[in-house]
């Protein structure tokens, strides 16, 4: 069921459970503001998700309500994770789905990092 980004944050979503330690993840990085872990169903040789620790449904919600420190923390974490994974020279792709037209499935903001092979066109036609 695609996410409705106008709904309030749902504490029972899978990434909230990972943040509370109720579900496992293959952790890549963690700091005060962000957690990064491998996607459970990778769509590229490298497929990492970076999430804020706060309760934000989507990029829309985050950019409206998050503090400057939270926003800086997430943005820096995305860059650091990609650098640490050695993806800068060959290149990589960032993607964040927002709401139903994008197909967002998990109602906790996440930035996908894809890499490890040529990624093709930005959108399938
Ligand atoms: P989106 O369609 O942008 O909401 O992407 C949700 C992503 O979360 C998908 O790529 C899923 O494979 C991934 N995902 C769902 N559950 C888990 C989980 N428990 N651990 C890691 N990744 C997950």
């Amino acid at each position: 069921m695609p996410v409705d980004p106008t709904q309030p944050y749902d504490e029972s979503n899978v990434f909230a459970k990972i943040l509370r330690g109720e579900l496992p993840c293959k952790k890549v990085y963690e700091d005060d503001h962000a957690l990064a872990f491998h996607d459970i169903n990778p769509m590229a040789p490298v497929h990492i998700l970076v999430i804020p620790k706060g309760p934000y449904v989507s990029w829309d919600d985050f950019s409206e309500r998050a503090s400057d420190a939270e926003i800086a923390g997430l943005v820096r974490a995305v860059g650091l994770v990609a650098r640490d994974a050695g993806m800068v020279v060959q290149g990589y792709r960032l993607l964040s789905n927002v709401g139903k037209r994008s197909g967002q499935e998990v109602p906790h903001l996440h930035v996908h990092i894809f890499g490890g092979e040529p990624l093709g066109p930005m959108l399938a036609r």
Side-chain angles (χ1 to χ4, degrees):
M1 183 80 166
V3 169
D4 179 348
T6 65
Q7 290 300 303
Y9 186 79
D10 173 7
E11 296 282 352
S12 70
N13 80 78
V14 67
F15 295 167
K17 290 180 180 170
I18 287 174
L19 284 168
R20 291 195 296 268
E22 296 165 12
L23 284 177
C25 73
K26 288 171 69 179
K27 192 195 295 186
V28 173
Y29 175 76
E30 181 171 15
D31 64 21
D32 287 350
H33 293 300
L35 174 69
F37 50 92
H38 291 283
D39 195 289
I40 204 166
N41 184 23
M43 299 183 70
V46 181
H47 185 175
I48 297 169
L49 302 173
V50 189
I51 68 174
K53 287 196 165 172
Y56 300 104
V57 177
S58 69
W59 190 271
D60 179 66
D61 186 25
F62 187 67
S63 59
E64 189 173 32
R65 293 196 300 113
S67 69
D68 290 354
E70 289 175 303
I71 292 171
L74 183 71
V75 171
R76 288 202 184 279
V78 169
L80 186 148
V81 166
R83 281 193 296 282
D84 282 358
M87 298 164 77
V88 176
V89 171
Q90 295 295 332
Y92 60 94
R93 179 170 294 155
L94 304 179
L95 182 147
S96 189
N97 289 316
V98 182
K100 54 190 171 193
R101 279 196 169 168
S102 73
Q104 183 183 357
E105 289 176 353
V106 179
H108 182 114
L109 169 61
H110 46 286
V111 177
H112 297 257
I113 305 178
F114 299 106
E117 67 182 5
L119 295 167
M122 191 163 62
L123 292 174
R125 288 284 177 199

PDB file of all heavy atoms in Angstrom, residues 96-117:
ATOM      1  N   SER A  96      14.762   9.288  -3.206  1.00  0.00           N
ATOM      2  CA  SER A  96      13.856   9.236  -2.064  1.00  0.00           C
ATOM      3  C   SER A  96      12.427   9.353  -2.586  1.00  0.00           C
ATOM      4  O   SER A  96      12.056  10.373  -3.179  1.00  0.00           O
ATOM      5  CB  SER A  96      14.175  10.375  -1.083  1.00  0.00           C
ATOM      6  OG  SER A  96      13.436  10.193   0.100  1.00  0.00           O
ATOM      7  N   ASN A  97      11.655   8.303  -2.396  1.00  0.00           N
ATOM      8  CA  ASN A  97      10.268   8.300  -2.855  1.00  0.00           C
ATOM      9  C   ASN A  97       9.385   9.043  -1.853  1.00  0.00           C
ATOM     10  O   ASN A  97       9.551   8.889  -0.636  1.00  0.00           O
ATOM     11  CB  ASN A  97       9.772   6.860  -3.001  1.00  0.00           C
ATOM     12  CG  ASN A  97      10.408   6.155  -4.172  1.00  0.00           C
ATOM     13  OD1 ASN A  97      10.511   6.729  -5.255  1.00  0.00           O
ATOM     14  ND2 ASN A  97      10.851   4.927  -3.967  1.00  0.00           N
ATOM     15  N   VAL A  98       8.460   9.836  -2.383  1.00  0.00           N
ATOM     16  CA  VAL A  98       7.532  10.602  -1.544  1.00  0.00           C
ATOM     17  C   VAL A  98       6.107  10.319  -2.015  1.00  0.00           C
ATOM     18  O   VAL A  98       5.695  10.782  -3.086  1.00  0.00           O
ATOM     19  CB  VAL A  98       7.813  12.121  -1.614  1.00  0.00           C
ATOM     20  CG1 VAL A  98       6.853  12.882  -0.695  1.00  0.00           C
ATOM     21  CG2 VAL A  98       9.261  12.427  -1.235  1.00  0.00           C
ATOM     22  N   GLY A  99       5.382   9.538  -1.235  1.00  0.00           N
ATOM     23  CA  GLY A  99       3.958   9.362  -1.490  1.00  0.00           C
ATOM     24  C   GLY A  99       3.613   8.415  -2.620  1.00  0.00           C
ATOM     25  O   GLY A  99       4.461   7.713  -3.181  1.00  0.00           O
ATOM     26  N   LYS A 100       2.325   8.398  -2.954  1.00  0.00           N
ATOM     27  CA  LYS A 100       1.789   7.308  -3.771  1.00  0.00           C
ATOM     28  C   LYS A 100       2.261   7.293  -5.215  1.00  0.00           C
ATOM     29  O   LYS A 100       2.494   6.225  -5.764  1.00  0.00           O
ATOM     30  CB  LYS A 100       0.259   7.273  -3.695  1.00  0.00           C
ATOM     31  CG  LYS A 100      -0.435   8.554  -4.041  1.00  0.00           C
ATOM     32  CD  LYS A 100      -1.933   8.444  -3.694  1.00  0.00           C
ATOM     33  CE  LYS A 100      -2.593   9.800  -3.840  1.00  0.00           C
ATOM     34  NZ  LYS A 100      -3.928   9.820  -3.248  1.00  0.00           N
ATOM     35  N   ARG A 101       2.427   8.440  -5.854  1.00  0.00           N
ATOM     36  CA  ARG A 101       2.876   8.396  -7.259  1.00  0.00           C
ATOM     37  C   ARG A 101       4.293   7.871  -7.384  1.00  0.00           C
ATOM     38  O   ARG A 101       4.690   7.376  -8.440  1.00  0.00           O
ATOM     39  CB  ARG A 101       2.778   9.783  -7.897  1.00  0.00           C
ATOM     40  CG  ARG A 101       1.382  10.092  -8.356  1.00  0.00           C
ATOM     41  CD  ARG A 101       1.369  11.267  -9.306  1.00  0.00           C
ATOM     42  NE  ARG A 101       0.071  11.399  -9.951  1.00  0.00           N
ATOM     43  CZ  ARG A 101      -0.316  12.436 -10.653  1.00  0.00           C
ATOM     44  NH1 ARG A 101       0.497  13.471 -10.803  1.00  0.00           N
ATOM     45  NH2 ARG A 101      -1.486  12.462 -11.216  1.00  0.00           N
ATOM     46  N   SER A 102       5.070   7.984  -6.320  1.00  0.00           N
ATOM     47  CA  SER A 102       6.450   7.487  -6.356  1.00  0.00           C
ATOM     48  C   SER A 102       6.526   6.012  -5.992  1.00  0.00           C
ATOM     49  O   SER A 102       7.546   5.370  -6.209  1.00  0.00           O
ATOM     50  CB  SER A 102       7.305   8.274  -5.364  1.00  0.00           C
ATOM     51  OG  SER A 102       6.978   7.870  -4.043  1.00  0.00           O
ATOM     52  N   GLY A 103       5.454   5.492  -5.362  1.00  0.00           N
ATOM     53  CA  GLY A 103       5.485   4.112  -4.875  1.00  0.00           C
ATOM     54  C   GLY A 103       6.136   3.953  -3.518  1.00  0.00           C
ATOM     55  O   GLY A 103       6.519   2.841  -3.150  1.00  0.00           O
ATOM     56  N   GLN A 104       6.260   5.020  -2.736  1.00  0.00           N
ATOM     57  CA  GLN A 104       6.839   4.899  -1.385  1.00  0.00           C
ATOM     58  C   GLN A 104       6.074   3.850  -0.588  1.00  0.00           C
ATOM     59  O   GLN A 104       4.847   3.901  -0.497  1.00  0.00           O
ATOM     60  CB  GLN A 104       6.789   6.253  -0.652  1.00  0.00           C
ATOM     61  CG  GLN A 104       7.442   6.195   0.733  1.00  0.00           C
ATOM     62  CD  GLN A 104       7.330   7.515   1.514  1.00  0.00           C
ATOM     63  OE1 GLN A 104       6.801   8.500   1.000  1.00  0.00           O
ATOM     64  NE2 GLN A 104       7.817   7.517   2.733  1.00  0.00           N
ATOM     65  N   GLU A 105       6.829   2.906  -0.007  1.00  0.00           N
ATOM     66  CA  GLU A 105       6.197   1.802   0.725  1.00  0.00           C
ATOM     67  C   GLU A 105       6.355   1.932   2.234  1.00  0.00           C
ATOM     68  O   GLU A 105       5.491   1.464   2.984  1.00  0.00           O
ATOM     69  CB  GLU A 105       6.795   0.461   0.273  1.00  0.00           C
ATOM     70  CG  GLU A 105       6.368   0.069  -1.128  1.00  0.00           C
ATOM     71  CD  GLU A 105       7.043  -1.197  -1.604  1.00  0.00           C
ATOM     72  OE1 GLU A 105       7.941  -1.698  -0.891  1.00  0.00           O
ATOM     73  OE2 GLU A 105       6.671  -1.675  -2.684  1.00  0.00           O
ATOM     74  N   VAL A 106       7.480   2.463   2.669  1.00  0.00           N
ATOM     75  CA  VAL A 106       7.740   2.552   4.111  1.00  0.00           C
ATOM     76  C   VAL A 106       7.563   4.014   4.536  1.00  0.00           C
ATOM     77  O   VAL A 106       8.249   4.903   4.011  1.00  0.00           O
ATOM     78  CB  VAL A 106       9.163   2.056   4.465  1.00  0.00           C
ATOM     79  CG1 VAL A 106       9.409   2.198   5.964  1.00  0.00           C
ATOM     80  CG2 VAL A 106       9.346   0.605   4.033  1.00  0.00           C
ATOM     81  N   PRO A 107       6.646   4.267   5.503  1.00  0.00           N
ATOM     82  CA  PRO A 107       6.334   5.662   5.865  1.00  0.00           C
ATOM     83  C   PRO A 107       7.280   6.261   6.892  1.00  0.00           C
ATOM     84  O   PRO A 107       6.850   6.856   7.879  1.00  0.00           O
ATOM     85  CB  PRO A 107       4.903   5.552   6.396  1.00  0.00           C
ATOM     86  CG  PRO A 107       4.845   4.199   7.006  1.00  0.00           C
ATOM     87  CD  PRO A 107       5.736   3.316   6.157  1.00  0.00           C
ATOM     88  N   HIS A 108       8.574   6.049   6.663  1.00  0.00           N
ATOM     89  CA  HIS A 108       9.631   6.737   7.427  1.00  0.00           C
ATOM     90  C   HIS A 108      10.652   7.177   6.383  1.00  0.00           C
ATOM     91  O   HIS A 108      11.144   6.328   5.619  1.00  0.00           O
ATOM     92  CB  HIS A 108      10.266   5.787   8.460  1.00  0.00           C
ATOM     93  CG  HIS A 108      11.318   6.437   9.311  1.00  0.00           C
ATOM     94  ND1 HIS A 108      11.164   6.617  10.671  1.00  0.00           N
ATOM     95  CD2 HIS A 108      12.538   6.949   9.004  1.00  0.00           C
ATOM     96  CE1 HIS A 108      12.232   7.222  11.164  1.00  0.00           C
ATOM     97  NE2 HIS A 108      13.092   7.426  10.161  1.00  0.00           N
ATOM     98  N   LEU A 109      10.962   8.472   6.342  1.00  0.00           N
ATOM     99  CA  LEU A 109      11.884   8.985   5.318  1.00  0.00           C
ATOM    100  C   LEU A 109      13.119   8.105   5.170  1.00  0.00           C
ATOM    101  O   LEU A 109      13.758   7.742   6.156  1.00  0.00           O
ATOM    102  CB  LEU A 109      12.341  10.407   5.704  1.00  0.00           C
ATOM    103  CG  LEU A 109      13.510  10.966   4.879  1.00  0.00           C
ATOM    104  CD1 LEU A 109      13.165  11.076   3.411  1.00  0.00           C
ATOM    105  CD2 LEU A 109      13.957  12.299   5.442  1.00  0.00           C
ATOM    106  N   HIS A 110      13.444   7.765   3.932  1.00  0.00           N
ATOM    107  CA  HIS A 110      14.674   7.028   3.653  1.00  0.00           C
ATOM    108  C   HIS A 110      15.234   7.505   2.327  1.00  0.00           C
ATOM    109  O   HIS A 110      14.493   7.752   1.378  1.00  0.00           O
ATOM    110  CB  HIS A 110      14.467   5.518   3.642  1.00  0.00           C
ATOM    111  CG  HIS A 110      13.265   5.056   2.877  1.00  0.00           C
ATOM    112  ND1 HIS A 110      11.970   5.212   3.342  1.00  0.00           N
ATOM    113  CD2 HIS A 110      13.152   4.455   1.666  1.00  0.00           C
ATOM    114  CE1 HIS A 110      11.126   4.722   2.458  1.00  0.00           C
ATOM    115  NE2 HIS A 110      11.812   4.261   1.419  1.00  0.00           N
ATOM    116  N   VAL A 111      16.550   7.615   2.295  1.00  0.00           N
ATOM    117  CA  VAL A 111      17.271   7.937   1.063  1.00  0.00           C
ATOM    118  C   VAL A 111      17.939   6.654   0.596  1.00  0.00           C
ATOM    119  O   VAL A 111      18.714   6.044   1.345  1.00  0.00           O
ATOM    120  CB  VAL A 111      18.319   9.042   1.300  1.00  0.00           C
ATOM    121  CG1 VAL A 111      19.108   9.310   0.015  1.00  0.00           C
ATOM    122  CG2 VAL A 111      17.643  10.324   1.792  1.00  0.00           C
ATOM    123  N   HIS A 112      17.595   6.225  -0.613  1.00  0.00           N
ATOM    124  CA  HIS A 112      18.263   5.065  -1.202  1.00  0.00           C
ATOM    125  C   HIS A 112      19.598   5.520  -1.784  1.00  0.00           C
ATOM    126  O   HIS A 112      19.650   6.544  -2.486  1.00  0.00           O
ATOM    127  CB  HIS A 112      17.450   4.496  -2.363  1.00  0.00           C
ATOM    128  CG  HIS A 112      16.091   3.961  -2.018  1.00  0.00           C
ATOM    129  ND1 HIS A 112      15.820   2.612  -1.912  1.00  0.00           N
ATOM    130  CD2 HIS A 112      14.916   4.589  -1.784  1.00  0.00           C
ATOM    131  CE1 HIS A 112      14.536   2.444  -1.631  1.00  0.00           C
ATOM    132  NE2 HIS A 112      13.966   3.625  -1.553  1.00  0.00           N
ATOM    133  N   ILE A 113      20.652   4.747  -1.582  1.00  0.00           N
ATOM    134  CA  ILE A 113      21.926   4.933  -2.279  1.00  0.00           C
ATOM    135  C   ILE A 113      22.150   3.690  -3.136  1.00  0.00           C
ATOM    136  O   ILE A 113      22.203   2.573  -2.600  1.00  0.00           O
ATOM    137  CB  ILE A 113      23.117   5.091  -1.311  1.00  0.00           C
ATOM    138  CG1 ILE A 113      22.876   6.220  -0.317  1.00  0.00           C
ATOM    139  CG2 ILE A 113      24.408   5.334  -2.095  1.00  0.00           C
ATOM    140  CD1 ILE A 113      24.019   6.389   0.698  1.00  0.00           C
ATOM    141  N   PHE A 114      22.225   3.901  -4.445  1.00  0.00           N
ATOM    142  CA  PHE A 114      22.452   2.798  -5.382  1.00  0.00           C
ATOM    143  C   PHE A 114      23.827   2.949  -6.022  1.00  0.00           C
ATOM    144  O   PHE A 114      24.225   4.063  -6.378  1.00  0.00           O
ATOM    145  CB  PHE A 114      21.441   2.826  -6.529  1.00  0.00           C
ATOM    146  CG  PHE A 114      20.006   2.691  -6.125  1.00  0.00           C
ATOM    147  CD1 PHE A 114      19.158   3.790  -6.157  1.00  0.00           C
ATOM    148  CD2 PHE A 114      19.487   1.473  -5.726  1.00  0.00           C
ATOM    149  CE1 PHE A 114      17.826   3.675  -5.806  1.00  0.00           C
ATOM    150  CE2 PHE A 114      18.150   1.349  -5.370  1.00  0.00           C
ATOM    151  CZ  PHE A 114      17.313   2.455  -5.406  1.00  0.00           C
ATOM    152  N   GLY A 115      24.512   1.844  -6.236  1.00  0.00           N
ATOM    153  CA  GLY A 115      25.788   1.896  -6.946  1.00  0.00           C
ATOM    154  C   GLY A 115      26.322   0.505  -7.198  1.00  0.00           C
ATOM    155  O   GLY A 115      25.624  -0.499  -7.035  1.00  0.00           O
ATOM    156  N   GLY A 116      27.587   0.473  -7.627  1.00  0.00           N
ATOM    157  CA  GLY A 116      28.251  -0.802  -7.852  1.00  0.00           C
ATOM    158  C   GLY A 116      28.167  -1.300  -9.277  1.00  0.00           C
ATOM    159  O   GLY A 116      28.773  -2.334  -9.605  1.00  0.00           O
ATOM    160  N   GLU A 117      27.408  -0.616 -10.121  1.00  0.00           N
ATOM    161  CA  GLU A 117      27.323  -0.971 -11.539  1.00  0.00           C
ATOM    162  C   GLU A 117      26.721   0.238 -12.270  1.00  0.00           C
ATOM    163  O   GLU A 117      26.134   1.124 -11.626  1.00  0.00           O
ATOM    164  CB  GLU A 117      26.428  -2.202 -11.751  1.00  0.00           C
ATOM    165  CG  GLU A 117      24.967  -1.947 -11.424  1.00  0.00           C
ATOM    166  CD  GLU A 117      24.068  -3.165 -11.590  1.00  0.00           C
ATOM    167  OE1 GLU A 117      24.592  -4.260 -11.873  1.00  0.00           O
ATOM    168  OE2 GLU A 117      22.848  -3.012 -11.440  1.00  0.00           O
TER     169      GLU A 117
END
